[in-house]
Amino acid sequence: MPRLFVYGTLRRGAANARELGGAVWEADVRTDNGYALIWKDGYPALVIAAQGAVTGEVYRTSSDHLTRLDAFEGVPELYRRGVVLLADGSVAEAYFAVVEDGTAHERLASGDYFDQPGSAPHR
């Protein structure tokens, strides 16, 4: 079963968590250094960065479920799925933002979507 790292509205208690129905929660995790969260079109988005780490969750899911999530996330126009290195040394797939070179985006300083006003989990 593929592992998927989620960091924003797909996390437990967030607005789009229902899209992960059927996936199996594995752990709360943080990425290794080298990633950041930005705001893109009103949503949090993962990017590769010189410094930083991102907080999220890892799920075990199926290839079919990932195909449905690809459609939900707007792959390949808005996001692309790639491999992310986690702080524990393991890897998972994640949705990375497609950003145009030179386009500036606000960075979420803490790397945790739930630290942003109005994004607290609804648990």
Side-chain angles (χ1 to χ4, degrees):
M1 291 181 73
R3 297 174 80 217
L4 179 67
F5 171 75
V6 298
Y7 50 82
T9 65
L10 292 175
R11 287 172 67 184
R12 291 176 295 154
N16 294 316
R18 68 188 172 282
E19 298 297 328
L20 282 172
V24 178
W25 177 87
E26 188 177 294
D28 291 325
V29 296
R30 194 145 169 94
T31 67
D32 199 11
N33 188 41
Y35 303 94
L37 280 184
I38 62 169
W39 283 115
K40 181 183 180 216
D41 301 325
Y43 291 96
L46 182 68
V47 294
I48 294 173
Q51 293 291 320
V54 174
T55 299
E57 302 164 355
V58 170
Y59 289 83
R60 294 248 179 222
T61 188
S62 69
S63 296
D64 287 342
H65 198 168
L66 287 177
T67 299
R68 290 191 308 273
L69 285 169
D70 285 354
F72 177 78
E73 293 290 350
V75 172
E77 294 82 15
L78 301 176
Y79 292 88
R80 66 174 174 78
R81 192 162 22 104
V83 175
V84 63
L85 179 61
L86 302 176
D88 66 5
S90 69
V91 296
E93 294 187 60
Y95 288 100
F96 287 84
V98 174
V99 293
E100 295 180 25
D101 289 339
T103 302
H105 295 280
E106 180 185 353
R107 184 172 174 159
L108 285 72
S110 73
D112 189 340
Y113 172 67
F114 286 150
D115 286 346
Q116 306 310 302
S119 63
H122 308 289
R123 296 183 182 163

